[in-house]
Amino acid sequence: MFTKILIANRGEIACRVIATAKKMGIATVAVYSEADKEARHVRLADEAVLLGPAPSRESYLVVDKIIAAAKQTGAQAIHPGYGFLSENEAFAKRCEDEGIAFIGPKAYSIAAMGDKIASKKLALEAKVNTIPGYNDPIPSAQEAVGIAKGIGYPVMIKASAGGGGKGLRVAYNDQEAFEGFTACQNEARNSFGDDRIFIEKFVEQPHHIEIQILGDSHGNVLYLNERECSIQRRHQKVIEEAPSPFISDATRQAMGAQAVALAKAVKYQSAGTVEFVVGKDQDFYFLEMNTRLQVEHPVTEAITGLDLVEWQLRVASGEPLPLRQDQLRIQGHAIEARICAENPDNNFLPATGTLQVYRKPQASSFERSTVRIDDGVREGDTISPFYDSMVAKLIVHGDTREQALARLDTALAQTHIVGLNTNVQFLRHVVRSESFATAKLDTALIQREAAVLFKQETVGLPAAVAAVVAHTLLAEKALQGADPFSRRDGWQSHSLAQRRFEFVWQDQPRSARLNYLHDGAVSLSLEGEEAASGVLTFAADGAGLWVQWGSAPRVFSQLDWQGETAHLFTPQGASRIIVLDPLAHAGEAAQEGGRLTAPMPGKVVSFAVKAGDKVKAGQPLAVMEAMKMEHTISAPKDGVVAELLYAPGDQVADGAELLKLAA
């Protein structure tokens, strides 16, 4: 067995490999770009080597630098993770030539399966079911139309070197075939430097099912059941589970046998995945083989109790597989959700920013764990534009699919991220949708259920207003103490005291009125649409609040602030509301340490101070214009203006720091 390995990757997969290596007593070397110098995988490894600037083509994709790092540190083997160089035939061959073990398949296996046209021909020779189609490169759009008509619409137009949803179109008629061929060819040329295109029959109501295989250098190959990967957006997976709730035992065994036959045909060693498309009648066809560890491998680990990275390491060091096919046991059901920095309501546009709040559910160990989190980030880290937008993978395991579903929804509810857009709430909508809950799965589920998946507000304005007002009152009470003359609800000569709150909810200004009653209670009234009123009661409970307003049900809420935007998390869902009250979150403002931030995207109108000015708590510092309203930013405490970070007229993002205060 190796004593030291280098991980030629970053993020959660680098951290994942390091975890297994530590368990096995193997030292680890991380590599990193300048953008990743403080990254979690760098901190976890025993050694780390800088590769170069942030762009991956200047760092993680530079073979010479990675080989040099391995030699410099004495690493005996390189684990490529997935993505980057993991399926690069030349890299695997270079490692072999340099006397460094490649923790993955041999270069000839990667080459055989890396070309979709060649791999389909090999699959036919190995008697693996293949989709009817034209398996040679098609020279022109005109010929593509003729071939498509011969196969019969609908057809799938695919780039031979494609991947990640690029170079892929579905055509239902001649015009779509002509346009789709041209678009795929251009995408493939720009993304992969290879514009070869082929066409195959498109299977309607398809399931995307993949078989996990393992091979060793002694000729043994096993299959570790399947994964259901049909929930996809833009041809990229969102949620995966194992086993599939769709296929029968007979289909499972037939697919497994064909996957093993294909792996043996290319003398496959290490972990790999044979992907199939399965029709509504469980007819299945080979799609491709991924010659690497898959992102979704944890669901297979959960139901088998095996550590696939450990098996990769053992196979790469020459050991035989430790089990036979008949010794494998499957237990329960596992589901993985990919948490990504993106905006599902804006066509899944990737997001960047800082993880100002990153709270996740409590996890157990990853062999058959109830809840597992694979991530490569910590609170305060930045999701940059240079790499993949995935923040974490959330994996749950249960005795049944229903139990796993319930655990996944609970774990997603406990995942709180503030600082950038994520798909956490979208994932909850998917998990709660009727199609997913009843296992009516196919690759069109997201489009089919769009009405209940996108632009959903599960918390509602009344609940959001009640929570932020209750939080405000508790925060002010903690700051003001028992001095009745400093309390807003202190003695008044009038019969009652009133206070007005201003909010921005879904880009619209809203108002609420708080009445302090004689008996110490408070009454809250929401004005305009969704008007509501009643006595507001609340109590702190650990990290959150129990809030009840009038006759509405009592709800547990947790709040985190980004500037003056309150991010509200409840078991029912999450939301955000902007609070236009200088004292609206006094407790948090007092702890800001002089960080003055924009409550929402907008324009700096003016500054009332300059660098070096002494200011008192509550003194106006700046005015912003946002949502057609002006908002005054006041000093949270006494201090000295250290620096103005913008100028009047500048546009600023939500949460941008406008100026700094020093003590």
Side-chain angles (χ1 to χ4, degrees):
M1 180 50 66
F2 312 115
T3 58
K4 182 186 286 190
I5 65 170
L6 181 145
I7 299 107
N9 217 298
R10 64 177 300 280
E12 59 88 14
I13 184 56
C15 296
R16 164 71 188 89
V17 175
I18 290 170
T20 289
K22 286 185 181 296
K23 182 183 72 172
M24 297 175 68
I26 300 171
T28 55
V29 179
V31 292
Y32 63 98
S33 70
E34 290 172 357
D36 280 341
K37 62 183 179 181
E38 300 296 331
R40 182 168 179 259
H41 77 279
V42 176
R43 298 293 182 90
L44 289 177
D46 298 299
E47 299 175 65
V49 178
L50 173 65
L51 293 177
S56 55
R57 65 181 179 276
E58 300 178 46
S59 51
Y60 295 106
L61 292 176
V62 183
V63 171
D64 287 345
K65 291 183 178 181
I66 292 171
I67 296 294
K71 289 184 172 181
Q72 171 190 337
T73 57
Q76 302 148 311
I78 295 176
H79 195 301
Y82 35 69
F84 291 145
L85 295 168
S86 61
E87 293 181 284
N88 187 298
E89 171 197 358
F91 179 54
K93 182 67 166 59
R94 177 71 181 278
C95 289
E96 182 180 331
D97 293 343
E98 298 284 353
I100 301 169
F102 182 75
I103 305 172
K106 297 298 182 184
Y108 53 76
S109 300
I110 297 174
M113 291 291 103
D115 184 303
K116 287 184 173 60
I117 292 175
S119 66
K120 193 171 181 181
K121 291 179 178 178
L122 277 168
L124 282 167
E125 293 172 6
K127 298 185 174 13
V128 176
N129 297 353
T130 57
I131 301 174
Y134 189 86
N135 298 325
D136 290 313
I138 300 170
S140 69
Q142 289 85 353
E143 290 184 59
V145 171
I147 290 168
K149 289 170 72 172
I151 295 170
Y153 292 109
V155 298
M156 183 81 83
I157 303 169
K158 302 174 74 172
S160 181
K166 294 179 181 177
L168 183 68
R169 295 290 190 280
V170 177
Y172 289 86
N173 53 51
D174 291 354
Q175 181 178 348
E176 290 180 359
F178 187 94
E179 294 173 352
F181 176 90
T182 303
C184 283
Q185 194 168 57
N186 290 338
E187 262 182 28
R189 186 184 302 113
N190 294 333
S191 297
F192 311 110
D194 182 345
D195 64 0
R196 291 175 300 153
I197 303 296
F198 67 105
I199 294 178
E200 60 191 22
K201 181 70 177 175
F202 176 64
V203 179
E204 298 192 84
Q205 297 182 31
H207 285 249
H208 186 122
I209 307 289
E210 58 190 31
I211 303 292
Q212 175 70 60
I213 59 102
L214 283 164
D216 63 23
S217 58
H218 303 272
N220 303 307
V221 180
L222 305 177
Y223 74 91
L224 274 62
N225 266 52
E226 81 289 344
R227 297 186 287 259
E228 171 79 58
C229 303
S230 299
I231 310 306
Q232 301 180 6
R233 51 97 167 105
R234 298 186 308 197
H235 303 294
Q236 294 177 324
K237 300 164 190 173
V238 177
I239 297 177
E240 304 98 344
E241 57 185 301
S244 168
F246 170 65
I247 66 172
S248 66
D249 284 340
T251 302
R252 177 176 292 115
Q253 291 171 13
M255 292 173 71
Q258 291 196 12
V260 168
L262 181 61
K264 286 186 174 181
V266 295
K267 299 178 181 178
Y268 196 83
Q269 300 173 32
S270 193
T273 304
V274 181
E275 302 200 355
F276 293 91
V277 59
V278 184
K280 59 184 178 180
D281 297 323
Q282 303 213 13
D283 46 323
F284 62 89
Y285 306 100
F286 169 73
L287 278 177
E288 63 182 349
M289 183 175 185
N290 290 307
T291 54
R292 55 174 167 79
L293 197 66
Q294 290 277 85
V295 174
E296 56 273 20
H297 76 273
V299 293
T300 296
E301 292 182 323
I303 65 169
T304 61
L306 302 174
D307 183 335
L308 296 189
V309 174
E310 179 179 345
W311 281 39
Q312 283 189 299
L313 289 164
R314 293 194 181 284
V315 166
S317 67
E319 295 182 23
L321 297 177
L323 295 174
R324 300 189 310 270
Q325 190 72 53
D326 60 2
Q327 293 177 307
L328 292 169
R329 296 291 180 268
I330 304 302
Q331 178 179 314
H333 199 94
I335 310 176
E336 173 183 289
R338 301 189 189 194
I339 297 173
C340 297
E342 63 186 17
N343 185 351
D345 292 337
N346 188 14
N347 197 31
F348 298 97
L349 186 71
T352 59
T354 300
L355 295 167
Q356 296 183 1
V357 173
Y358 178 46
R359 278 203 302 275
K360 48 193 178 182
Q362 176 125 17
S364 47
S365 69
F366 59 71
E367 287 97 350
R368 282 191 173 139
S369 60
T370 299
V371 177
R372 167 178 166 182
I373 300 103
D374 281 14
D375 61 12
V377 294
R378 300 152 301 182
E379 190 168 272
D381 284 354
T382 296
I383 304 298
S384 77
F386 297 107
Y387 312 115
D388 187 86
S389 63
M390 190 161 65
V391 176
K393 301 182 309 194
L394 179 57
I395 306 102
V396 297
H397 181 258
D399 293 333
T400 64
R401 185 175 191 267
E402 292 71 24
Q403 187 182 64
L405 270 175
R407 285 176 173 168
L408 178 58
D409 188 50
T410 298
L412 286 167
Q414 294 170 350
T415 303
H416 300 175
I417 298 176
V418 174
L420 71 172
N421 287 321
T422 71
N423 66 340
V424 172
Q425 297 310 308
F426 171 79
L427 292 170
R428 293 196 72 190
H429 299 329
V430 173
V431 169
R432 292 176 165 193
S433 70
E434 181 181 355
S435 289
F436 193 86
T438 56
K440 296 174 183 174
L441 311 175
D442 60 65
T443 56
L445 183 145
I446 288 178
Q447 298 94 306
R448 188 173 66 249
E449 293 277 5
V452 297
L453 299 184
F454 298 100
K455 297 181 180 178
Q456 300 297 304
E457 177 52 62
T458 55
V459 175
L461 176 60
V465 167
V468 295
V469 170
H471 185 273
T472 297
L473 297 178
L474 280 177
E476 291 176 354
K477 183 176 180 180
L479 278 181
Q480 295 163 354
D483 177 7
F485 296 102
S486 66
R487 292 166 57 97
R488 286 194 173 205
D489 58 345
W491 180 86
Q492 300 282 331
S493 61
H494 308 290
S495 58
L496 53 81
Q498 289 189 351
R499 178 179 180 185
R500 191 175 182 83
F501 285 82
E502 303 288 343
F503 306 96
V504 175
W505 171 261
Q506 297 181 345
D507 296 337
Q508 296 297 317
R510 303 304 300 265
S511 299
R513 187 177 67 254
L514 187 71
N515 292 326
Y516 294 91
L517 307 179
H518 290 299
D519 58 1
V522 292
S523 174
L524 183 63
S525 299
L526 176 62
E527 301 169 356
E529 294 181 19
E530 299 182 77
S533 63
V535 173
L536 180 69
T537 59
F538 49 89
D541 182 4
L545 294 172
W546 281 100
V547 180
Q548 185 166 20
W549 186 12
S551 60
R554 200 163 178 245
V555 175
F556 182 72
S557 304
Q558 293 172 290
L559 284 90
D560 290 286
W561 296 86
Q562 183 183 19
E564 292 191 5
T565 299
H567 293 260
L568 177 69
F569 299 94
T570 75
Q572 293 73 35
S575 191
R576 66 183 72 178
I577 183 171
I578 296 168
V579 185
L580 301 179
D581 183 332
L583 296 177
H585 54 284
E588 285 69 27
Q591 297 169 18
E592 281 275 328
R595 292 177 59 87
L596 284 300
T597 55
M600 66 202 89
K603 182 176 72 174
V604 176
V605 175
S606 63
F607 284 103
V609 293
K610 61 182 182 302
D613 286 355
K614 292 182 179 180
V615 297
K616 295 288 186 181
Q619 179 179 335
L621 302 177
V623 175
M624 272 195 64
E625 182 184 272
M627 309 295 182
K628 299 181 181 179
M629 294 178 286
E630 288 196 350
H631 176 64
T632 300
I633 294 177
S634 302
K637 62 179 183 178
D638 295 353
V640 177
V641 177
E643 185 180 4
L644 303 182
L645 302 176
Y646 290 92
D650 285 351
Q651 293 288 332
V652 296
D654 183 9
E657 188 177 6
L658 302 180
L659 67 158
K660 292 180 181 289
L661 281 185

